[in-house]
Amino acid sequence: MIVLGYNGFTRGAELFGRLYGSTGVGRNLLVGHDAAAAVVIDGELVAAVEEERLSRVKKTSDFPAQAIEWCLEAAGVTLDQVDVVAFPWRFSPAVAEEMIAGISSADMPVTAKFDALRRAGEAYTGMLSREAVHGDFVERTGHPLDPNKLALVPHHLAHLMCGAYLAGSTDAAFVVSDGRAETLSSVMGELRGGVVRLFDECTVPLSSSLGVAYGRITRYLGFVPNNDEYKVMGLAAYGPPPQHNPLLERVVRLHESGSYTISIPQDVPAYFALFDSLFGGDSEKREEFDFRVEVAGMAQHMVEAVTAHQLRALTAASGLDHLLFEGGLALNCVANTKMLERSSFTGMDVSFGASDPGVAIGAAVYTAGLRNRPADAVTTPYLGPSYSESQVLDALAEYEDRVEWQQEPDATALAHRTAELLADRNVVGWFQGRAEFGPRALGNRSILANPAFPDIKDIINLRVKHREPFRPFAPVVLESEAPRVFEMGKKTSSPYMTFVFPVRQEYRELIPGACHVDGTARIQTIDERQNPVLAELLRVFLARTDVPCLLNTSFNVAGEPIVCSPRDALECFLATEIDHLVLDRFVVTKKGEGALP
């Protein structure tokens, strides 16, 4: 059975811009963002890529035409051979009725209700309904898809199935929490023997979305909601935990069932006024670093308190000892660690597709039928495009007036040459194999550096990434070395940068560039099976320097998608102060900036 899963709407950005006044990247951030495609053949995920990697439009919500084309080509199939097309949103007539009822019962003037109904109606008929989704697919692909072959999968179920498939476990309690699904923002339940059981009393409506609340505070602090929440999480570490939190005292109400109510106005001026009253802020104070740290700390504390409340209810309702956490909130790696360590769960998985890129995978997996994966199967995020040596050489030839390069004979020689460069204060672009899937660079499209240098974080933030100086970087470490360097708690590995751990005291002076201000690090663990080329580099680097990890950040600059092709890598390399580029087995240097030996 061949299943194509995809996420994205052709008209999404246009409709949300015109109907709801969204501008810039915000037009892509309401429904359908992180457009992507995935192909599952006979229960096995064989290819997946985000549209932004190919179109070079960050966070795009557009129909993923290029991603679909690449996935089918990589899988060696055509649209005619696809048995089912799976889409991770189900705006059924019943959902539409619920949307209408919600607007009709809202506390607003009649004229405002008519306006809201008009806008919702145009969005529904123009992009959300089954007919609109089917028409969009046919128009953009030119393929006369049988309507009976289009499967609409509820959004939260697609999130769950992505996590369940990639965890390789069928029995687990779960939490899915994000900005929005069709009408809900969070669900809990358990997965036993491939059967999903929702705990209905624990569901949280869209009107009380924790993700939306965190996003509104993100906007209040001057960042882009549904995009920059990780900046708020990073800022929070610069201050102590709040002694009291007005968000929990006046905005959030926790219910015995495990659900909650969050009361924040929808209108931007209204919730800015609310936050000013809660935090003692104004337009000037919002620019002050210490004030922003304090507010970020309260937002982070709110997430941690609410998710802990959910887990208490989930533990009481389910006797399972393993937890799956998926959805946009699952990218809050600080909260993830606290969720696990403060709960009775013995294990917890957060996938590399936890946010909306993963719903393309989840919709396909669900439609194909979730299957037990072999115990020895290697879960890999490296599902995207790779490039042949001839393609790499063609790209280098395009830039031969600006770069020079040397080819290493094999992977071992490449590791030694790269370790030699990284032993000094060099920043290295690292491009290998298939592109990783999801929002994190996991070692195939990465920028690497030596964390032994205290100022390396500032060098990368200011000279390479062109982003805020308070932003930390994640270390990548051999899984066998991780417990020696980091306090792992209940975890034995963290392959997708979805958990944060304290750096052991004796290592903080050795790897200062990898330590956040609070002495923690969002680590990625690697072993030989997952990524043999990067594992070899880490072994050689450790032997050469006694430094047990490398800094690993995404190979891009602020506002750009992670690089995908050799040409993307060369463009980014030449536009920044990255010192060297390791492109497959080619070590590349800019002409006039130090010749290769």
Side-chain angles (χ1 to χ4, degrees):
M1 183 180 185
I2 301 172
V3 181
L4 168 67
Y6 80 95
N7 180 35
F9 300 87
T10 295
R11 297 191 64 201
E14 179 262 318
L15 282 171
F16 285 121
R18 178 165 54 81
L19 297 176
Y20 298 99
S22 300
T23 59
V25 70
R27 295 178 305 135
N28 287 319
L29 298 180
L30 295 176
V31 173
H33 59 85
D34 298 300
V39 171
V40 171
I41 299 179
D42 296 333
E44 180 185 356
L45 175 63
V46 297
V49 68
E50 292 125 296
E51 180 72 6
E52 69 164 29
R53 304 296 178 88
L54 304 173
S55 71
R56 310 308 299 160
V57 179
K58 190 173 178 66
K59 302 291 287 187
T60 185
S61 61
D62 191 16
F63 182 90
Q66 295 183 63
I68 288 173
E69 182 180 2
W70 179 83
C71 284
L72 292 172
E73 182 179 348
V77 298
T78 66
L79 274 174
D80 289 330
Q81 295 173 285
V82 170
D83 296 294
V84 184
V85 174
F87 189 70
W89 296 92
R90 186 188 287 171
F91 284 94
S92 64
V95 169
E97 293 280 4
E98 190 172 340
M99 293 165 60
I100 293 169
I103 294 171
S104 299
S105 62
D107 182 16
M108 65 174 76
V110 171
T111 53
K113 290 182 181 182
F114 275 118
D115 183 55
L117 286 168
R118 175 190 60 80
R119 290 185 290 173
E122 188 170 347
Y124 184 81
T125 57
M127 64 178 281
L128 301 176
S129 69
R130 168 179 279 276
E131 294 76 16
V133 171
H134 178 263
D136 195 18
F137 186 91
V138 171
E139 182 177 348
R140 292 298 300 273
T141 63
H143 177 72
L145 178 68
D146 180 346
N148 294 317
K149 290 186 175 183
L150 175 64
L152 303 185
V153 180
H155 189 70
H156 280 149
L157 185 57
H159 272 303
L160 172 61
M161 289 297 105
C162 176
Y165 173 81
L166 295 174
S169 170
T170 55
D171 288 356
F174 65 81
V175 178
V176 179
S177 185
D178 58 7
R180 69 159 301 154
E182 291 81 4
T183 60
L184 300 175
S185 66
S186 183
V187 297
M188 295 195 295
E190 59 183 19
L191 184 62
R192 290 181 185 264
V195 177
V196 177
R197 178 187 168 206
L198 282 179
F199 298 156
D200 292 334
E201 67 277 9
C202 300
T203 59
V204 180
L206 177 59
S207 58
S208 289
S209 171
L210 181 60
V212 169
Y214 201 79
R216 287 174 179 163
I217 297 172
T218 299
R219 185 191 295 276
Y220 178 76
L221 292 175
F223 302 123
V224 178
N226 210 12
N227 185 67
D228 291 345
E229 281 78 359
Y230 57 93
K231 298 181 184 180
V232 178
M233 181 181 69
L235 267 179
Y238 281 81
Q243 295 299 307
H244 72 93
N245 191 339
L247 292 169
L248 295 176
E249 295 162 3
R250 294 175 53 187
V251 169
V252 179
R253 285 189 294 120
L254 305 177
H255 307 307
E256 188 175 343
S257 64
S259 65
Y260 48 87
T261 301
I262 298 179
S263 302
I264 298 176
Q266 293 188 27
D267 185 63
V268 173
Y271 68 71
F272 268 50
L274 171 65
F275 293 149
D276 279 344
S277 70
L278 292 177
F279 306 133
D282 55 40
S283 57
E284 291 185 4
K285 291 207 69 158
R286 287 182 229 130
E287 300 296 322
E288 297 175 5
F289 184 76
D290 289 345
F291 177 77
R292 300 172 93 201
V293 166
E294 182 180 4
V295 172
M298 286 186 265
Q300 182 65 25
H301 181 246
M302 173 185 69
V303 169
E304 293 166 8
V306 170
T307 50
H309 166 72
Q310 289 183 285
L311 286 203
R312 284 191 290 270
L314 183 59
T315 302
S318 173
L320 296 171
D321 60 7
H322 197 82
L323 176 66
L324 296 177
F325 188 31
E326 294 290 307
L329 263 294
L331 293 185
N332 193 311
C333 49
V334 174
N336 291 349
T337 302
K338 293 179 180 179
M339 286 172 68
L340 174 60
E341 296 301 328
R342 296 173 181 177
S343 75
S344 61
F345 290 104
T346 58
M348 175 176 171
D349 281 304
V350 179
S351 77
F352 56 78
S355 55
D356 270 20
V359 295
I361 294 175
V365 166
Y366 173 73
T367 306
L370 181 64
R371 307 182 186 196
N372 286 321
R373 301 175 66 241
D376 61 349
V378 178
T379 301
T380 178
Y382 310 112
L383 297 162
S386 63
Y387 298 85
S388 66
E389 182 177 303
S390 63
Q391 289 173 308
V392 172
L393 284 169
D394 287 345
L396 286 168
E398 286 185 50
Y399 296 88
E400 62 182 353
D401 59 329
R402 301 172 65 186
V403 300
E404 54 187 354
W405 59 90
Q406 175 180 301
Q407 184 176 13
E408 296 297 332
D410 53 41
T412 300
L414 182 74
H416 280 276
R417 177 66 179 126
T418 306
E420 179 186 358
L421 294 172
L422 288 166
D424 293 327
R425 203 184 303 263
N426 286 308
V427 178
V428 174
W430 178 257
F431 184 108
Q432 301 292 320
R434 295 182 71 168
E436 51 271 84
F437 187 86
R440 311 292 193 211
L442 297 174
N444 277 11
R445 302 290 187 275
S446 291
I447 294 172
L448 304 177
N450 187 343
F453 298 107
D455 61 344
I456 197 68
K457 178 171 76 76
D458 297 329
I459 290 172
I460 300 174
N461 271 330
L462 299 177
R463 288 171 36 194
V464 177
K465 300 284 282 187
H466 305 155
R467 67 183 200 178
E468 298 89 348
F470 63 80
R471 302 266 298 277
F473 291 106
V476 59
V477 60
L478 289 168
E479 185 177 311
S480 58
E481 293 291 317
R484 181 168 67 91
V485 184
F486 306 97
E487 297 177 20
M488 301 284 288
K490 295 179 182 179
K491 296 292 291 182
T492 58
S493 65
S494 181
Y496 311 129
M497 296 187 190
T498 47
F499 293 87
V500 164
F501 305 101
V503 181
R504 294 191 182 277
Q505 192 66 45
E506 60 269 31
Y507 282 94
R508 292 185 185 181
E509 290 188 5
L510 180 62
I511 54 170
C515 296
H516 197 21
V517 65
D518 59 355
T520 65
R522 185 192 72 195
I523 75 170
Q524 177 195 2
T525 58
I526 281 290
D527 66 21
E528 178 71 31
R529 298 176 73 207
Q530 294 164 333
N531 193 322
V533 177
L534 183 57
E536 174 73 1
L537 173 59
L538 285 165
R539 281 193 295 270
V540 172
F541 182 75
L542 173 61
R544 183 184 184 94
T545 64
D546 285 331
V547 178
C549 59
L550 287 167
L551 288 189
N552 173 18
T553 188
S554 56
F555 196 162
N556 65 338
V557 296
E560 295 289 332
I562 299 173
V563 303
C564 183
S565 70
R567 191 176 189 280
D568 298 335
L570 285 158
E571 285 283 338
C572 187
F573 172 57
L574 291 167
T576 64
E577 294 184 51
I578 295 174
D579 298 294
H580 301 273
L581 169 61
V582 178
L583 190 58
D584 192 33
R585 286 194 289 120
F586 298 89
V587 180
V588 185
T589 299
K590 298 164 190 170
K591 283 191 173 178
E593 295 190 14
L596 290 165

